Amino acid sequence: MQTFRTEIENPIVEKDIIDLANKIQLFNNGKIDEEKFRSLRLARGIYGQRQEGVQMIRIKLPYGKVKSNQLRRISDVSDEYSRGRLHITTRQDIQIHYVDIQRTPELWAQLDQDDITIREACGNTVRNVTASELAGVDVDEPFDVSPYADAIFRYFLRNPISQEMGRKFKVSFSSSDSDTGLSYMHDLGFIAKIENGERGFKVMIGGGLGSQPREADELYSFISTDKIIPLMEGVVRVFDRYGERKSRAKARLKFLIKDIGLDAFKALVDQEQKAIEFKSVAIDADAYVTSKPVEINEIPQVTIKDQKAFETWKSTNLIPQKQDGYVAIGIKVLLGDFYTDKARLLADLVENYAAGEIRLSLRQNIIIPFVKRELVPFFYTELEKLGFANVGYNKAVDITACPGTDTCNLGIASSTGIADELERVIKAEYPQYLEKDDLVIKISGCMNACGQHNMANIGFQGMSVRTPDKLVAPALQVLLGGGNLGDGKGVFADKVVKVPSKRGPEALRRILDDFETNANGKSFFDYYKVTGERYFYDLLNDLQDVTNLTQDDFIDWGTSEEYVKEIGIGECAGVVIDLIATLFYESEEKIENAKESFDNNVYSHAIYHAYSSMVNSAKALLIADNKRTNTHAGIISQFDELFVESGKLDLGTAFSELIYQINKNAPTKDFASKYIENANQFLAKVRAFREEESKLDQ
């Protein structure tokens, strides 16, 4: 067992960390299959990098809220275990890179000292719960969504129903009808509403980006706040059971809803209601610890050296706040990267002069809430010292980009390099765009859309092109016309042309020049609706020609080396290739987890662990028989057909009858006890059957 240098106060976290250390040791000793180990570490926020032998650690920060002490702790961890750089993601997380996996348990223990987790930041789990970055201060919000996002985060963290789904599950909360939480592109999105004086949410379901973006459906126009946790539990249970598991390309909730239809999906959720222990979960928003500004007795006096620069910054980076006398400050963080020396000074600044916290935004920026209006000049001078006074927060010049080929296994072309160049072009050639907030530019290094390129007005996706003589160069798919319409509606961008990466700036110039000349005051979104895909195809078509590439075209942005297309194994929601012995081992582990939950009187968790054990055990026999195991429901029906109905295995009843007791009974103590025993007996029977079959094969 590994010894940690700091004491872990939370026994649940301590068990998690010790378990991770033990699993790393088992993997090192060849006792755990590599693919299974990948699944395990991903669910603990540990993601393989493009560079061999090091990992990216994703730190889960619900709705992007980071207190000063937490920012200092993250900085300390980055300095000790990484390289002192922090990367803000489009899901309000912080990532640190180049970490030795052997040190990750110790790193986690350090983070826990300030109540920070990496649990379920990656993998086939409920990911970080995101929210409008202005939640709590938004002038348009009917109420603060932060307590509800926090409740969802806490309820589903370590919840057995969401540990090993077919793929990831993403949830967002929007403060108002502006839908700044982007509900239309989430598996489950909640938009704050008030009806008849009651707080609640409009619920959107089944949205997603990636290579096949899908706009979310409206599940409910309004549900009260006490219904959001039971609803999400039903949705996650159905996704876990019926969601695709074999084909990674079809394993998101959006494909399940598309295949069976929204009404059929709702019916499945209704069938789960008996299994859900709490039909109503009241969330006490008044008990939530909200941000409170510190008391300022004296306003520091400062001298502004460049008044014009200060006025421009105020026009682009100050955000109105609903609390009288306060504003929020937006910090434009280039590519979402900043360093620990600046982070610590920022933590001190907000602790002493604001509310002791920052918020991370969906556009990879930082927001400081609760700045007294009289302190704005002081904050400007302090932020200027830190290099955090760049103008253009959330404006056209503020380009979102994923890490791309810098560190990601899936990156095809550099997203950070081209983003840096495009920002330079806009600043130098289109200075008027420093203040435009109706033009959104986003870049992803591959089709998986971590940079959210296909929801942008102007998007770029990393690709490659092949010349007639079979040389490969980095390229960019240009996408146009996406946008957020508000209240759960959105439009995804059209794929217009594919150009060599070095022509990306020229493509942007042509688009902006045409827009400037012909839009007549329309927003880019509205202008594109009038002109359309064909118009811009004709405008950009000649840039697609790969017969006349120069040597420079074979060198991607941000590098001096010739381009080589290298795509590793995608891990963010990778499908696990399970070995039979590993599955049986897992089934035992799940039964132990069920017994532990039972002893702690958490019967709903105990039942789900037992359910997972039975599915695992059935899956083991199906894999041994070379059968596909696409979904939990498919595993159950196939097992009945191949082993029970054929008479190979006598369970005394159909396997489906045995296992589907889960959604026909309330999660009582008696049922939990009986169901755990069913799982134990089932594991013993399938294991004995497998041993007999193995003997016959010898």
Side-chain angles (χ1 to χ4, degrees), residues 130-146 148 172-184 189-194 200-204 221 319-320 322 359 362 484-489:
T130 61
S132 302
E133 57 262 26
L134 295 179
V137 302
D138 188 345
V139 294
D140 295 321
E141 68 182 19
F143 57 87
D144 183 5
V145 300
S146 304
Y148 307 98
S172 76
F173 282 79
S174 286
S175 290
S176 70
D177 288 356
S178 297
D179 197 15
T180 49
L182 308 175
S183 69
Y184 69 95
F190 297 96
I191 305 172
K193 303 277 185 180
I194 289 183
F201 295 94
K202 180 178 184 177
V203 184
M204 307 300 296
S221 62
I319 307 161
K322 70 180 183 181
R359 292 286 180 101
L362 297 171
N484 177 11
L485 304 181
D487 202 27
K489 297 292 182 184

Side-chain angles (χ1 to χ4, degrees), residues 204-308:
M204 307 300 296
I205 192 166
L209 295 179
S211 60
Q212 299 180 59
R214 181 181 190 271
E215 186 183 339
D217 296 312
E218 181 182 308
L219 187 62
Y220 293 104
S221 62
F222 182 85
I223 62 169
S224 56
T225 58
D226 63 308
K227 300 298 183 187
I228 63 173
I229 286 177
L231 170 66
M232 181 164 159
E233 180 168 352
V235 169
V236 172
R237 282 172 173 267
V238 170
F239 178 50
D240 190 41
R241 186 165 305 134
Y242 295 95
E244 170 70 34
R245 289 173 181 271
K246 190 74 175 175
S247 171
R248 184 175 181 274
K250 296 181 179 178
R252 292 294 298 273
L253 180 66
K254 63 184 178 182
F255 293 109
L256 175 59
I257 292 176
K258 181 182 177 183
D259 288 346
I260 69 173
L262 188 59
D263 290 340
F265 184 85
K266 275 185 177 180
L268 291 173
V269 173
D270 289 342
Q271 287 176 22
E272 292 297 312
Q273 292 311 300
K274 277 192 179 177
I276 296 174
E277 184 174 4
F278 304 107
K279 306 300 186 277
S280 170
V281 179
I283 297 167
D284 188 355
D286 294 332
Y288 175 77
V289 181
T290 54
S291 308
K292 289 194 174 137
V294 296
E295 199 161 319
I296 307 293
N297 298 317
E298 186 177 343
I299 305 297
Q301 297 302 305
V302 296
T303 302
I304 304 295
K305 295 176 184 176
D306 187 338
Q307 193 66 33
K308 183 178 179 184

Side-chain angles (χ1 to χ4, degrees), residues 433-469:
Y433 284 83
L434 291 175
E435 298 190 38
K436 272 187 177 286
D437 59 5
D438 60 352
L439 182 68
V440 178
I441 303 173
K442 293 176 179 281
I443 304 171
S444 299
C446 75
M447 65 181 180
N448 286 298
C450 293
Q452 302 174 342
H453 64 276
N454 41 18
M455 57 154 288
N457 301 147
I458 301 174
F460 296 91
Q461 176 196 321
M463 304 188 83
S464 64
V465 288
R466 190 179 293 272
T467 66
D469 48 358

Side-chain angles (χ1 to χ4, degrees), residues 33 54 85 149 159 169 207 210 249 309 312 343 359 392 467 486 539 542 558 577 596 655:
D33 169 61
V54 290
R85 188 189 77 168
N159 195 313
F169 192 96
T312 302
R359 292 286 180 101
T467 66
L539 182 69
D542 64 296
I577 305 169
E596 183 178 342
F655 181 49

Side-chain angles (χ1 to χ4, degrees), residues 440-675:
V440 178
I441 303 173
K442 293 176 179 281
I443 304 171
S444 299
C446 75
M447 65 181 180
N448 286 298
C450 293
Q452 302 174 342
H453 64 276
N454 41 18
M455 57 154 288
N457 301 147
I458 301 174
F460 296 91
Q461 176 196 321
M463 304 188 83
S464 64
V465 288
R466 190 179 293 272
T467 66
D469 48 358
K470 298 186 178 177
L471 297 175
V472 179
L476 296 166
Q477 178 86 60
V478 181
L479 299 94
L480 299 173
N484 177 11
L485 304 181
D487 202 27
K489 297 292 182 184
V491 173
F492 294 115
D494 295 323
K495 295 176 181 177
V496 179
V497 292
K498 182 166 72 169
V499 304
S501 289
K502 284 298 175 74
R503 297 176 187 169
E506 176 58 22
L508 181 65
R509 286 187 184 98
R510 290 193 190 183
I511 293 164
L512 294 183
D513 287 346
D514 179 84
F515 175 54
E516 287 287 298
T517 303
N518 301 314
N520 295 321
K522 295 184 180 71
S523 69
F524 185 86
F525 179 82
D526 289 333
Y527 178 60
Y528 182 81
K529 274 201 303 185
V530 173
T531 51
E533 180 182 347
R534 185 70 203 189
Y535 176 86
F536 281 96
Y537 174 85
D538 291 339
L539 182 69
L540 303 172
N541 183 30
D542 64 296
L543 297 179
Q544 297 193 96
D545 185 6
V546 294
T547 63
N548 57 356
L549 298 187
T550 67
Q551 191 60 41
D552 188 52
D553 288 314
F554 293 94
I555 299 173
D556 208 351
W557 292 104
T559 182
S560 58
E561 298 175 4
E562 189 165 319
Y563 175 76
V564 178
K565 183 178 177 181
E566 292 178 330
I567 306 175
I569 298 171
E571 296 197 329
C572 215
V575 175
V576 177
I577 305 169
D578 298 285
L579 299 178
I580 297 162
T582 303
L583 283 168
F584 283 144
Y585 167 74
E586 278 187 343
S587 294
E588 285 180 355
E589 210 171 44
K590 291 176 189 300
I591 289 171
E592 290 306 310
N593 291 338
K595 290 175 180 176
E596 183 178 342
S597 294
F598 184 88
D599 291 342
N600 290 327
N601 302 321
V602 188
Y603 304 125
S604 59
H605 284 196
I607 291 162
Y608 213 86
H609 282 306
Y611 162 82
S612 299
S613 173
M614 284 193 271
V615 170
N616 246 33
S617 302
K619 183 178 180 179
L621 285 198
L622 288 170
I623 285 177
D625 209 29
N626 294 316
K627 296 295 186 289
R628 294 185 66 183
T629 54
N630 291 36
T631 66
H632 278 189
I635 288 169
I636 293 164
S637 61
Q638 277 192 92
F639 191 88
D640 265 339
E641 181 184 344
L642 294 171
F643 295 102
V644 180
E645 292 169 13
S646 65
K648 291 181 181 179
L649 199 60
D650 183 12
L651 302 179
T653 184
F655 181 49
S656 56
E657 288 293 322
L658 180 71
I659 198 167
Y660 281 142
Q661 293 177 80
I662 189 172
N663 59 13
K664 295 179 175 61
N665 292 272
T668 62
K669 180 178 181 180
D670 288 345
F671 175 62
S673 176
K674 176 186 168 190
Y675 201 66

